[in-house]
């Protein structure tokens, strides 16, 4: 939940259309700054799940991806997709933002690892049923969509039976605290059960940035309602020696309570 100092900030309901427009415009405009700030941490062909620095190369949350058809939604600059391709996966990288996909194309040029890039809304994926073995995202799509239940249903649809869905988001309990990496961010000030979106808006009250809060229980119910089986919920611990601050993530807070939740789910095989 990073905010512009000049934006009006509120908590309120937003429509799916408002949320989609705000996300596209925000990430198109912010893509250069985001990549300049975080690109070196994320790498050109590396799969980093979260600001805690958990890498897929170590965690292997997706299993053996060699020969697997993989869709990354909310891919940003697509460093995760390029890493997956180096591991032998057949990958498609998608994002709502043309600005972020521009950086994905630049990353492909720099690294020499190229994957197909697609501008697409995660609530309306342009693929047939059962097209992929794995769908994944590291902090993409899910937190920025008003109807995230629809994302779960779309992912379920495009996965083959037995396929895996893995996504990381800001840990829901972080919404209790201010976005402050210092001591101010250790004091609970918001209700965990306030599900209104965090909204930055212009002087006409048009949303310019929207991020959605759901409780852990909400996320699990979204998965189960879509038909998934939840296999694991991972809360990465802050590693020793990691001193980088990323927005509200910091060594101070990370050693006290989790900043990231990673959900691993499976589409059941048909009997």
């Amino acid at each position: 939940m990073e905010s512009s100092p000049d934006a009006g900030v509120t908590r309120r309901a937003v429509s799916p259309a408002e949320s989609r427009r705000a996300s596209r415009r925000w990430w198109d405009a912010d893509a250069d700054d985001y990549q300049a700030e975080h690109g070196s941490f994320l790498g050109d062909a590396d799969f980093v799940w979260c600001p805690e620095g958990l890498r897929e190369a170590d965690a292997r949350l997706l299993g053996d991806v060699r020969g697997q058809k993989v869709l990354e939604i909310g891919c940003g600059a697509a460093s995760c997709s390029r890493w997956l391709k180096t591991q032998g996966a057949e990958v498609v990288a998608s994002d709502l933002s043309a600005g972020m996909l521009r950086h994905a194309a630049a990353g492909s040029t720099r690294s020499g690892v190229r994957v197909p890039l697609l501008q697409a809304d995660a609530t309306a994926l342009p693929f047939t049923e059962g097209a992929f073995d794995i769908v994944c995202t590291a902090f993409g799509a899910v937190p920025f969509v008003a109807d995230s239940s629809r994302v779960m249903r779309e992912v379920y649809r495009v996965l083959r039976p037995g396929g895996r869905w893995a996504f990381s988001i800001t840990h829901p309990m972080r919404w209790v605290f201010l976005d402050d990496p210092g001591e101010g961010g250790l004091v609970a000030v918001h209700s965990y059960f306030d599900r209104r979106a965090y909204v930055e808006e212009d002087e006409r009250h048009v949303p310019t940035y929207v991020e959605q809060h759901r409780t852990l229980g909400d996320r699990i119910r979204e998965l189960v309602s879509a038909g998934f089986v939840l296999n694991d919920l991972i809360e990465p611990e802050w590693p020793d020696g990691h001193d980088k601050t990323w927005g509200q993530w910091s060594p101070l807070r990370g050693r006290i309570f989790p900043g990231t939740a990673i959900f691993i789910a499976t589409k059941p095989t048909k009997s």
Side-chain angles (χ1 to χ4, degrees):
M1 296 177 289
E2 299 178 1
S3 62
S4 165
D6 299 321
V9 177
T10 187
R11 296 285 296 274
R12 66 175 176 88
V14 294
S15 71
E18 285 181 306
S19 185
R20 183 167 51 253
R21 283 194 297 268
S23 289
R24 181 184 288 116
R25 291 171 181 169
W26 175 273
W27 293 109
D28 282 353
D30 192 60
D32 291 350
D33 290 342
Y34 183 89
Q35 197 63 17
E37 183 175 0
H38 302 301
S40 61
F41 180 78
L42 296 173
D44 274 339
D46 198 1
F47 196 136
V48 184
W49 278 106
C50 52
E52 289 86 352
L54 182 67
R55 283 173 161 75
E56 177 61 15
D58 302 315
R60 296 293 178 180
L61 303 182
L62 302 181
D64 185 359
V65 300
R66 185 170 299 278
Q68 299 290 288
K69 294 182 178 179
V70 182
L71 171 64
E72 183 185 7
I73 62 173
C75 69
S79 58
C80 297
S81 286
R82 287 190 292 275
W83 181 85
L84 288 165
K85 183 171 182 180
T86 69
Q87 304 302 299
E90 182 181 336
V91 191
V92 175
S94 69
D95 200 284
L96 183 67
S97 166
M100 295 305 287
L101 290 173
R102 175 168 49 82
H103 281 281
S108 293
T109 298
R110 285 193 304 271
S111 66
V113 181
R114 299 185 179 278
V115 297
L117 303 176
L118 174 70
Q119 187 174 18
D121 183 344
T123 65
L125 297 171
F127 300 104
T128 58
E129 181 177 344
F132 295 96
D133 301 298
I134 298 169
V135 180
C136 61
T137 185
F139 278 80
V142 175
F144 306 106
V145 174
D147 187 0
S148 48
S149 292
R150 185 171 174 179
V151 175
M152 304 298 170
R153 294 194 298 271
E154 275 292 274
V155 171
Y156 186 91
R157 181 182 64 81
V158 303
L159 273 174
R160 66 163 176 79
R164 185 172 302 191
W165 165 220
F167 64 95
S168 60
I169 57 171
T170 300
H171 197 290
M173 76 169 293
R174 281 289 175 106
W175 284 72
V176 175
F177 305 94
L178 297 176
D179 274 4
D180 182 346
E183 292 186 357
L186 301 179
V187 180
V189 295
H190 301 298
S191 169
Y192 176 73
F193 302 104
D194 182 358
R195 293 166 173 85
R196 293 175 301 168
Y198 169 90
V199 182
E200 296 176 13
E201 53 188 24
D202 63 19
E203 65 279 358
R204 297 170 298 152
H205 303 293
V206 174
T208 57
Y209 177 90
V210 178
E211 193 166 344
Q212 303 286 341
H213 168 54
R214 302 290 182 269
T215 68
L216 283 173
D218 292 337
R219 292 297 183 204
I220 292 170
R221 281 185 288 276
E222 287 179 346
L223 285 165
V224 173
S225 294
F228 285 103
V229 173
L230 179 64
N231 303 115
D232 204 353
L233 170 57
I234 297 151
E235 300 162 299
E237 297 185 34
W238 195 270
D240 293 337
H242 180 24
D243 59 1
K244 181 178 177 62
T245 295
W246 177 320
Q248 55 141 314
W249 281 265
S250 66
L252 173 65
R253 301 179 88 201
R255 294 188 180 111
I256 297 173
F257 50 84
T260 298
I262 308 174
F263 295 79
I264 311 296
T266 302
K267 179 175 180 176
T269 56
K270 294 178 181 178
S271 56

